[in-house]
Amino acid sequence: QNPRGWFPDCGNHIHAGASILIDPEKEPYPNCYVIAQKRSSKDVTFKKYVTDMGSGYLKPLNPQYPMIPLDDECEIIGVVVDARWDIF
């Protein structure tokens, strides 16, 4: 179980100086932002959760990258519920 908490600069996938608050108990819903993790490498990533034809995908914010299907190798560890940027 992952704790609710702030993730600073999540794997260089969000703007520098940004931190995001996740809730691991919240169910993901279409078009929400999530933190996901690959089970084999423990790498985490910040993506948009989308669905198509009943299947879930992780959509990168950069359209040059492909969508990642949610499968046994990848799990959502929390839904983003807040964000903040250090401006100074």
Side-chain angles (χ1 to χ4, degrees):
Q1 183 75 9
N2 296 294
R4 179 182 172 119
W6 288 96
F7 275 69
D9 191 30
C10 183
N12 295 322
H13 296 282
I14 57 176
H15 295 287
S19 296
I20 52 178
L21 179 64
I22 66 160
D23 185 345
E25 295 180 9
K26 188 172 179 123
E27 286 293 319
Y29 54 91
N31 298 314
C32 73
Y33 292 96
V34 299
I35 296 295
Q37 182 175 37
K38 288 187 177 182
R39 294 179 197 271
S40 61
S41 66
K42 301 296 182 193
D43 289 338
V44 296
T45 187
F46 171 74
K47 299 280 190 272
K48 185 180 232 184
Y49 172 72
V50 297
T51 58
D52 185 35
M53 303 292 290
S55 296
Y57 296 89
L58 299 174
K59 182 177 180 179
L61 301 182
N62 184 337
Q64 294 179 343
Y65 291 95
M67 289 199 298
I68 302 166
L70 281 175
D71 55 23
D72 292 339
E73 176 58 21
C74 189
E75 69 174 325
I76 293 175
I77 60 172
V79 173
V80 176
V81 294
D82 197 2
R84 66 178 179 204
W85 281 262
D86 296 330
I87 58 173
F88 298 106

